[in-house]
Amino acid sequence: MAASLAMASAHGASNLVANGDFGTGNFDGWTLFGPTYSEGVNATSSYHYAYFGHYGASRGIRQSLPTVAGMHYSFSFLLANMGSAGNAVNVSWNGNSVLNLMDAAAFGATPYVFEVTASAASTDIAFSFRNDPAAFHMTNVSVSALEPVPEPDSPALLLAGGGLVAALVRRRSVRPSPAA
């Protein structure tokens, strides 16, 4: 389990999440919400993860990120469930649920990746947990901008495509005649 949680995620230097790997050994950069029961950060020399085990009520963390309205982002994290029935986790992007699990069987560190779109200059990410028999473990929270893909109807793409077609037509019409 520790090796799975220690796995490095494939996010680059452009991660917008502060302390997404909980490497500070605490919840720096995050705002905790809900009733206090059992949460914390396990910080060893080889890996860090946050754990949440709240009996009967949800507890969680959230963070506001600087985003660009209309831009697409990759939102990812590793999550493990150390218990069985009697649990719930909800992950949201700007108030909209991207993951909602209830009474999930135990599972090891599992990567979750979502493509999301910002609607404003600031976007909240939030994780809410309840796990009566045990705890959820989480690490490697990352949000990074995705490279924009040109739309097929964009003028630049149309011009480039038109230029390519013209070059192919010209090439076909200027073929040298076979040697006699």
Side-chain angles (χ1 to χ4, degrees), residues 17-150:
V17 178
N19 195 24
D21 65 355
F22 304 97
T24 62
N26 55 36
F27 288 110
D28 283 353
W30 295 94
T31 300
L32 290 132
F33 63 87
T36 301
Y37 182 68
S38 175
E39 71 281 326
V41 174
N42 184 347
T44 69
S45 60
S46 60
Y47 64 95
H48 300 84
Y49 64 88
Y51 60 87
F52 302 87
H54 305 286
Y55 187 80
S58 292
R59 171 92 165 145
I61 57 176
R62 74 173 144 256
Q63 192 172 130
S64 291
L65 309 175
T67 54
V68 175
M71 183 168 273
H72 297 271
Y73 293 85
S74 175
F75 177 21
S76 63
F77 52 91
L78 283 175
L79 182 67
N81 179 12
M82 309 313 290
S84 56
N87 59 61
V89 61
N90 186 286
V91 180
S92 65
W93 169 267
N94 205 32
N96 298 308
S97 182
V98 296
L99 177 67
N100 192 0
L101 301 175
M102 293 193 73
D103 294 325
F107 57 87
T110 303
Y112 288 89
V113 180
F114 304 94
E115 183 175 330
V116 290
T117 304
S119 60
S122 179
T123 300
D124 288 345
I125 58 172
F127 298 83
S128 176
F129 303 95
R130 189 190 104 232
N131 201 323
D132 295 351
F136 283 101
H137 292 179
M138 182 179 67
T139 192
N140 292 357
V141 182
S142 175
V143 172
S144 54
L146 295 173
E147 291 297 319
V149 176

